[in-house]
Amino acid sequence: LKKYWSELAKGLTPYVPGEQPKLNNLIKLNTNENPYAPSPKVREAIDKVCSERLRLYPDPECSRLKAAIARRHGVGADRVFVGNGSDEVLAFCFPAFFGPARRILFPDITYSFYKVYAAFFGIPYETVPLREDFSLDAEDLSRPCGGVLLANPNAPTGLAMQRRGIEQIARHCESLLLVDEAYVEFGGESAVDLTAELDNLLVVKTFSKSHSLAGMRVGYAIGHQGLIEALECVKNSFNSYTLDVLAQAAAIAAIEDDAYCAEQLRKIRQTREWTAGQLQDMGFCVLPSSANFLFIRHPEKTGAQLMQQLRGKGIIVRHFEQERIRDFMRVTIGTQPQMQQFVRELGALV
Amino acid sequence: LKKYWSELAKGLTPYVPGEQPKLNNLIKLNTNENPYAPSPKVREAIDKVCSERLRLYPDPECSRLKAAIARRHGVGADRVFVGNGSDEVLAFCFPAFFGPARRILFPDITYSFYKVYAAFFGIPYETVPLREDFSLDAEDLSRPCGGVLLANPNAPTGLAMQRRGIEQIARHCESLLLVDEAYVEFGGESAVDLTAELDNLLVVKTFSKSHSLAGMRVGYAIGHQGLIEALECVKNSFNSYTLDVLAQAAAIAAIEDDAYCAEQLRKIRQTREWTAGQLQDMGFCVLPSSANFLFIRHPEKTGAQLMQQLRGKGIIVRHFEQERIRDFMRVTIGTQPQMQQFVRELGALV
């Protein structure tokens, strides 16, 4: 079967995304989606794109979307790059900024796609151990290297690093610092404003979580114009049109309706705090989360066990078979009624 | 500005797509879009995707879309790969099947993205000169190499190669033969059925042209299961979710309404033949086209000149500043009234 595979392809171990079950009546707390639908303005925007537009190529520069993102963050549109989900933006960063000669650094416990990108693009890396409590010591990443990757808040732990930690790392790093802020709107401190003075800081964000648009695949990066140009150069060597016309329309509508979004974020944070309290009362260790998920461990039952048992109750959560965290499970914050049911079912299991 | 760029990024020369003008009243004959809107079923399918689905990740496997494509071509769904436009599918082919050790081959005049992919993924290549009349001698590609790429019909010439030529190349090639059939529905012979017996033949297709969905970015590949698995492996090392939920829905509806599509294809072929006749009467050299565009040359005026002058009349066509073809221009087949206007304006210029 692998007769015509390249040597590179033979050596790849792809990323495995969380399950997207085809069943409808599950409580889906496994892939950190937003439990609330996107702004009604998104639907209106999609409906307004006339059928005639579907036959034409989309704007390859995504100019209107970049302008909307730029306005929202108070930066120039030439400091914004957009891609097919933040996963694609992250993927483009590897060939744009990293090379085979110098190792890049990222924490040992973080988004597991980073090492997959590194292998795919032939970039050597070194993982930096988080502290015992899964927090990150900025010192550990403040040393010469080919680049630094940080998810802030981190996944799957949910722990956030303060902006001054990010700043310290960027100032000590003579190469690129990439901060993946997929979850920052749920409680972290964004580093976007630091990009105005730090030309080696690139902040990557997504519409998937905070703007309830995981289904539409839109991510972006903000940084110095020189960094954005490198990403454009890589993108245009790979695929000219990565965002279709409806994805662009949906994302513009979503980011322009910030008031709607803020209200959903408030509800999710409130439900997260309620859920964390309930779990602690049940004896769970609950890491302090700044994201839309909780990373939890029971003193007696393993994450894999509990995940299996919850699945039997129609609730899916995520478990990672990885050293240091295999006792944990990651639970997305759903609606308040969903989390009440989750807490009830889990209570019956432990 | 290039301070943090990788050595790879510094050396890239990206592909330049045809202009997507923001003006509305132009006759746009420059990027080979279909002049007719997609099937009305596409709009219905998009409207049926409820807002609630937008917040959830799309099916990363695109199972329903693969099944619809497989049914249409009478192959197993495990022989279908889908991507974000055929450009992305082509991009994934490079790391999946080609390596740095052996040169791949493609014609000197063809889709200009091939050499961009090769540079991006570090794949050495050799271009094979087309004959004086821009036809391809299958002999020239029937020799040991790291892989062969062929657009059939070719772009920007529009010339098609018969299926037996494809078969000859595949049988002589001990590596992969990739046939890019973006335009085949407009008059070429598809090689899809040959993939059943030739395990080194991969056929790449798109919804952009024949199915009027350039705006939705959906392409696919059909080939032996082992080839498809290599593409899945590469895709999942790059981006798990390349097709959003509305793109998947739109493509399913489009491919299931083949009768609608066939009727638009018929109209386009008819308009192409009418236009070709008119241009020949005006003294143009018109290459025999099996695609939805014509590649034409005037004995006295250069392609660049004519393109400029047509632009002044509100008509945009494409010109390539490249040896052997710089006297030509490429004209997409629009609706019959659009082509009548094009012929009228062009007639006044020459």
Side-chain angles (χ1 to χ4, degrees):
Chain A
L1 268 176
K2 298 199 175 183
K3 193 162 148 200
Y4 300 102
W5 291 39
S6 68
E7 290 308 311
L8 172 71
K10 283 179 196 161
L12 294 175
T13 307
Y15 176 75
V16 180
E19 185 192 357
Q20 295 299 327
K22 270 124 199 163
L23 298 154
N24 274 328
N25 46 3
L26 290 171
I27 296 188
K28 193 170 174 305
L29 308 177
N30 69 328
T31 50
N32 297 346
E33 288 136 335
N34 194 309
Y36 303 106
S39 159
K41 299 261 163 62
V42 167
R43 193 74 220 193
E44 286 171 30
I46 289 169
D47 293 345
K48 258 189 219 146
V49 175
C50 67
S51 281
E52 184 68 12
R53 274 299 308 171
L54 303 183
R55 71 172 184 85
L56 298 171
Y57 282 100
D59 173 13
E61 327 254 280
C62 304
S63 312
R64 285 190 54 218
L65 175 54
K66 282 180 186 165
I69 293 167
R71 267 195 306 278
R72 159 75 174 71
H73 289 286
V75 302
D78 57 354
R79 292 182 49 214
V80 178
F81 175 80
V82 297
N84 187 256
S86 60
D87 280 349
E88 190 186 69
V89 178
L90 292 168
F92 287 149
C93 287
F94 280 72
F97 306 116
F98 309 142
R102 301 185 71 196
R103 280 191 294 195
I104 60 169
L105 306 178
F106 49 84
D108 62 341
I109 310 290
T110 191
Y111 185 30
S112 55
F113 218 135
Y114 299 159
K115 61 178 191 298
V116 178
Y117 297 130
F120 181 59
F121 287 108
I123 309 297
Y125 65 90
E126 184 182 331
T127 58
V128 174
L130 295 176
R131 296 193 188 101
E132 193 62 38
D133 64 357
F134 299 107
S135 67
L136 174 68
D137 188 343
E139 285 297 321
D140 293 343
L141 291 170
S142 304
R143 55 178 159 115
C145 63
V148 177
L149 260 83
L150 262 190
N152 189 40
N154 198 10
T157 64
L159 266 67
M161 174 177 255
Q162 287 185 299
R163 184 165 31 209
R164 64 165 184 272
I166 302 290
E167 185 170 358
Q168 178 189 332
I169 297 168
R171 291 200 188 279
H172 280 85
C173 180
E174 83 282 31
S175 49
L176 185 87
L177 168 59
L178 193 164
V179 181
D180 177 354
E181 292 191 350
Y183 299 105
V184 82
E185 277 81 5
F186 298 99
E189 271 188 311
S190 176
V192 163
D193 58 349
L194 292 174
T195 63
E197 43 172 329
L198 297 169
D199 67 359
N200 66 334
L201 174 63
L202 188 77
V203 177
V204 175
K205 300 171 80 84
T206 178
F207 283 80
S208 295
K209 321 289 182 182
S210 55
H211 289 75
S212 304
L213 282 184
M216 292 309 289
R217 319 304 310 120
V218 187
Y220 59 102
I222 296 180
H224 187 274
Q225 199 190 332
L227 304 181
I228 300 306
E229 275 182 23
L231 288 170
E232 294 291 350
C233 182
V234 163
K235 184 211 115 183
N236 289 316
S237 298
F238 176 84
N239 188 359
S240 310
Y241 308 93
T242 60
L243 261 76
D244 66 54
V245 62
L246 298 183
Q248 293 187 39
I252 292 167
I255 205 162
E256 287 182 343
D257 195 4
D258 252 1
Y260 172 90
C261 184
E263 175 57 16
Q264 316 313 313
L265 293 173
R266 193 195 56 74
K267 286 192 284 187
I268 292 165
R269 280 192 298 263
Q270 196 168 39
T271 299
R272 177 184 72 207
E273 297 317 306
W274 176 86
T275 309
Q278 295 287 313
L279 293 169
Q280 276 159 340
D281 291 350
M282 274 189 241
F284 276 89
C285 157
V286 181
L287 298 192
S289 172
S290 298
N292 71 337
F293 55 82
L294 292 170
F295 205 47
I296 65 174
R297 181 172 55 80
H298 192 263
E300 284 138 38
K301 299 213 168 199
T302 71
Q305 263 180 312
L306 286 172
M307 180 180 73
Q308 268 317 109
Q309 292 176 307
L310 284 167
R311 175 91 200 198
K313 306 284 181 188
I315 299 174
I316 39 179
V317 300
R318 192 137 194 221
H319 169 257
F320 299 87
E321 190 49 48
Q322 187 191 343
E323 227 179 303
R324 293 189 69 185
I325 58 168
R326 62 167 55 88
D327 288 347
F328 284 79
M329 60 184 181
R330 193 194 67 187
V331 184
T332 305
I333 302 302
T335 61
Q336 183 69 24
Q338 285 179 326
M339 298 319 282
Q340 282 164 346
Q341 191 177 337
F342 165 74
V343 162
R344 210 160 44 235
E345 298 286 5
L346 189 62
L349 295 175
V350 299
Chain B
L1 270 177
K2 298 199 175 183
K3 192 163 148 198
Y4 300 102
W5 291 39
S6 69
E7 289 309 311
L8 172 72
K10 283 179 196 159
L12 293 176
T13 308
Y15 176 76
V16 180
E19 185 193 357
Q20 295 299 325
K22 270 126 199 162
L23 298 154
N24 274 330
N25 45 4
L26 291 171
I27 297 189
K28 193 170 174 305
L29 308 177
N30 69 328
T31 50
N32 298 345
E33 287 136 336
N34 194 309
Y36 303 106
S39 159
K41 299 260 164 63
V42 168
R43 193 73 221 194
E44 284 171 31
I46 290 169
D47 292 345
K48 258 188 220 147
V49 175
C50 67
S51 281
E52 183 68 13
R53 273 300 306 171
L54 303 183
R55 70 173 185 85
L56 298 171
Y57 282 100
D59 173 13
E61 327 253 282
C62 304
S63 313
R64 285 189 54 220
L65 175 54
K66 282 180 186 164
I69 293 167
R71 267 196 307 277
R72 158 78 173 69
H73 289 286
V75 302
D78 57 355
R79 292 184 48 214
V80 179
F81 175 80
V82 297
N84 186 256
S86 59
D87 280 351
E88 190 186 70
V89 178
L90 292 168
F92 287 148
C93 287
F94 280 72
F97 305 116
F98 308 142
R102 301 187 70 197
R103 279 191 294 194
I104 60 167
L105 306 178
F106 49 83
D108 61 340
I109 310 290
T110 191
Y111 185 32
S112 54
F113 218 135
Y114 299 159
K115 60 179 194 297
V116 178
Y117 296 130
F120 181 58
F121 287 108
I123 310 297
Y125 66 90
E126 185 182 331
T127 59
V128 174
L130 295 177
R131 296 194 189 100
E132 195 61 39
D133 65 356
F134 299 108
S135 67
L136 175 67
D137 188 344
E139 285 297 322
D140 293 344
L141 291 169
S142 304
R143 57 179 159 113
C145 63
V148 177
L149 261 83
L150 263 191
N152 190 39
N154 198 9
T157 65
L159 268 67
M161 173 177 253
Q162 287 184 299
R163 185 166 30 210
R164 65 166 182 272
I166 302 290
E167 186 171 357
Q168 179 189 330
I169 298 168
R171 291 201 188 278
H172 280 85
C173 181
E174 82 281 35
S175 50
L176 185 87
L177 168 59
L178 194 163
V179 181
D180 177 353
E181 293 191 349
Y183 299 104
V184 83
E185 277 80 6
F186 299 99
E189 271 188 311
S190 176
V192 162
D193 57 349
L194 292 174
T195 63
E197 42 172 329
L198 296 169
D199 67 358
N200 66 334
L201 175 63
L202 189 77
V203 177
V204 174
K205 299 172 81 81
T206 178
F207 283 80
S208 295
K209 321 288 181 181
S210 55
H211 289 75
S212 304
L213 282 183
M216 293 308 290
R217 320 303 311 119
V218 187
Y220 59 103
I222 296 180
H224 186 274
Q225 198 191 331
L227 304 181
I228 301 306
E229 274 181 25
L231 288 170
E232 294 290 350
C233 182
V234 163
K235 184 210 116 183
N236 289 316
S237 297
F238 176 84
N239 188 359
S240 311
Y241 308 93
T242 61
L243 262 75
D244 66 54
V245 63
L246 298 183
Q248 293 187 39
I252 292 167
I255 205 162
E256 286 181 345
D257 195 5
D258 251 1
Y260 172 89
C261 185
E263 174 57 15
Q264 317 313 312
L265 293 172
R266 192 194 58 73
K267 287 192 282 188
I268 292 165
R269 280 192 298 262
Q270 196 169 38
T271 299
R272 179 183 70 207
E273 295 318 306
W274 177 85
T275 309
Q278 296 287 312
L279 293 169
Q280 275 158 342
D281 291 350
M282 272 190 242
F284 276 89
C285 156
V286 181
L287 298 193
S289 171
S290 298
N292 70 336
F293 54 83
L294 293 170
F295 205 47
I296 65 174
R297 180 171 56 80
H298 192 264
E300 285 138 36
K301 298 214 168 198
T302 70
Q305 264 181 310
L306 285 173
M307 180 179 75
Q308 268 317 111
Q309 293 176 307
L310 284 167
R311 176 90 201 198
K313 306 283 180 189
I315 299 174
I316 38 179
V317 299
R318 192 139 193 219
H319 169 257
F320 298 88
E321 191 49 47
Q322 188 190 342
E323 229 180 301
R324 292 189 70 185
I325 58 169
R326 61 167 58 87
D327 288 347
F328 284 79
M329 59 183 182
R330 194 193 67 186
V331 183
T332 305
I333 302 301
T335 61
Q336 183 68 26
Q338 285 178 326
M339 298 320 280
Q340 283 163 347
Q341 190 176 340
F342 165 73
V343 162
R344 208 161 44 235
E345 298 286 6
L346 189 61
L349 294 175
V350 298

